[in-house]
Amino acid sequence: MTGPIHAPIYSQRSSLTHALRILRHLLSSLYSFSFSSALFRFNARTFAMAANALTGASISMRPLLSLRNQTPACSLISGSSSVLTSSFGQRNVYFSLRPRSIRLTVSCAAKQETVDKVCAIVKKQLALPDDSTVTGESKFTALGADSLDTVEIVMGLEEEFGISVEEDSAQSITTVQEAADLIEEIIQKKC
Amino acid sequence: MSSLLDKARLMMNIHCLGRNLVTASSSLHCVQLPAQKEAHFWYVLPDEIKDTNLLNQYFEILSPSEKESVFRMTGELLKKRAILARALVRTTLARYQINCQIDPKALKFKKNRYGKPEVDLQYTEDWKLPQLRFNISHTSSLIACGVTVGSPIGIDVEEKQRRLKNDVLAFARRYFSPDEIEMLTKIADPELRRLELIKLWTLKEAYVKAVGKGFSNLPFNTFTFQFGNRLKTGIHLRPHVMSKAHEITVEPPDDSKNISGNWQFVLLELYGSHYAAICIEQESTNRGKGSIPVNLMLRKTIPFVEDECIFGTDKAVVIGGLTTLLEC
């Protein structure tokens, strides 16, 4: 009998439970660790993604930790049986494992890094000099963008961030900040 | 040119006290209204206008919110462009008023449900205003205003030499319909392909602006432009480049969003350097009987200074769509 040989289902399942065990272990060890300058961003959806997207033994934990250099602009906290909070410069903080009600805080403005990338794309599209002032508040039209520039900017953003922007969303963005917020919203939904 | 802005602010302050009615309207040459099935196309070349006194005069006829928009523009060139665009609209529409009595500054505008600007005719009791419809478009080197009576109108102007930051086919794949992508792919010469893309872009923009329901209610990849009868067969044997003999139609003519109507298109080449697309709606009674040409009157203007009728010159050439250019 010829044909592709699939890994037996039981071995797939066992790698899944194995990964889940690792994940649980990692999370419980995170409770008693301190982080010097990073904000801990834990998202219920990212948890599910990490558990599901397994091809081998490695698990990507990147979505769980924000990078050190990013300005912590917001936090999204949720939990089933415990609440995780950030700690700055504190060592050996003990996090309470008492069950508390689920608390979900909505994330606020987009990361500075996203805004900066959008600014760069806008400057490039409109051929603005590097030292020109483009900030979150900058309106595309005030910078001289016409409709063709705007759709090219949207294309540039889609390419840069690996996302797809719906037509009605594309029409609604008029400033750099709005573009950055939309990008983050789309990325969040993707996860 | 920062002195322009200071002067403009000063003028605004002075004239807050009272409106300067006399000088504004008296030097505008009055014109006859466009007839049915007729469109007027007025344009301004910003590079020809350098006199700061004249720019102040234009600035002065703007409304407070328009002035605010001008201030928000970054840089003197963008400010100048914004002033000229609004001044062109106001002075153009004022010419059509009965006996030329209206001060361009007195015109009021509103936006339709989707944000398309329209003349607000409601504010007046004394005089009967014609049902003027208009649409504007600007590039850095040409600002245009199209006017009709009764028919929705959309226009778009682009510089022929405009370079896309993206690859032409990548752009088309993202925004245009499958048939159009196929048509563009068949064009071997990249420069010709780019020019065809710009033509298609102006037509699509003009159409969406004429319909007036916004980009998202009429995404560009949901309709296809067709030229003459060839595309109806669905097969192109050779690259299909627009020529002036061809009628330009858009498919599908009716779609689920109730954007029905008999839309007609004109594509012009101005000064060999710009493409201008005009889209107006013809009466539905003409549908199916073959198209009647769009009557088009072109005028170049420097408001308050001079107007030039563009007829019988190669400054403006019709390159697509059934059109009759009219003498002024």
Side-chain angles (χ1 to χ4, degrees), chain A residues 124-125 139 141-144 146-149 151-152 154-155 158-159 165 167-168 171, chain B residues 72-74 78 81 158 162-166 170-171 174-175 201 205 214-216 219:
Chain A
K124 185 166 157 229
Q125 175 63 36
K139 273 191 98 148
T141 46
L143 295 171
D146 62 13
S147 51
L148 191 46
D149 289 312
V151 298
E152 288 216 89
V154 169
M155 262 182 93
E158 288 179 330
E159 225 176 88
V165 180
E167 307 294 23
D168 49 1
Q171 201 181 280
Chain B
R72 274 201 295 269
M73 294 291 173
T74 53
L78 289 180
R81 206 206 299 190
E158 289 296 342
R162 178 153 189 164
R163 301 279 144 195
L164 292 183
K165 291 292 180 294
N166 295 282
F171 183 91
R174 173 64 180 82
Y175 287 111
W201 175 268
E205 270 286 293
F215 190 55
S216 61

Side-chain angles (χ1 to χ4, degrees), chain B residues 231-301:
Chain B
L231 275 175
K232 289 204 168 92
T233 64
I235 298 168
H236 326 256
L237 295 175
R238 51 180 190 277
H240 195 134
V241 171
M242 258 180 271
S243 81
K244 86 175 197 195
H246 287 130
E247 179 188 349
I248 301 174
T249 53
V250 68
E251 297 287 333
D254 298 317
D255 71 354
S256 55
K257 293 203 171 121
N258 294 321
I259 300 168
S260 59
N262 187 16
W263 301 99
Q264 285 205 266
F265 299 89
V266 178
L267 190 65
L268 302 170
E269 187 173 336
L270 298 170
Y271 301 94
S273 58
H274 291 77
Y275 290 137
I278 303 165
C279 172
I280 64 172
E281 189 177 19
Q282 296 283 32
E283 299 136 33
S284 2
T285 48
N286 286 328
R287 219 189 307 188
K289 291 180 191 170
S291 277
I292 297 169
V294 173
N295 291 331
L296 187 61
M297 202 179 281
L298 300 172
R299 287 187 182 93
K300 176 166 99 66
T301 177

Side-chain angles (χ1 to χ4, degrees), chain B residues 176-237:
Chain B
F176 286 7
S177 72
D179 284 340
E180 289 164 344
I181 297 166
E182 196 191 328
M183 186 267 274
L184 286 170
T185 313
K186 292 201 163 90
I187 300 175
D189 178 50
E191 182 59 15
L192 216 54
R193 192 190 298 159
R194 189 187 60 82
L195 288 174
E196 284 305 300
L197 184 118
I198 307 248
K199 287 179 195 171
L200 275 175
W201 175 268
T202 57
L203 284 166
K204 284 178 176 290
E205 270 286 293
Y207 178 47
V208 172
K209 288 170 83 178
V211 168
K213 290 188 180 162
F215 190 55
S216 61
N217 281 321
L218 196 52
F220 277 20
N221 57 7
T222 59
F223 56 92
T224 298
F225 275 94
Q226 300 185 352
F227 318 115
N229 295 322
R230 288 201 221 174
L231 275 175
K232 289 204 168 92
T233 64
I235 298 168
H236 326 256
L237 295 175

Side-chain angles (χ1 to χ4, degrees), chain A residues 51-108:
Chain A
N52 288 331
L54 298 170
T55 49
S58 69
I59 306 163
S60 166
M61 294 291 286
R62 252 185 312 123
L64 294 178
L65 304 168
S66 62
L67 300 171
R68 206 169 303 165
N69 289 329
Q70 286 177 2
T71 332
C74 47
S75 59
L76 185 66
I77 305 168
S78 77
S80 50
S81 62
S82 59
V83 171
L84 306 164
T85 55
S86 67
S87 65
F88 291 99
Q90 285 177 299
R91 298 215 144 261
N92 300 323
V93 177
Y94 178 74
F95 291 91
S96 163
L97 293 175
R98 266 184 298 126
R100 289 194 208 171
S101 54
I102 297 169
R103 190 155 56 92
L104 199 75
T105 340
V106 180
S107 61
C108 45

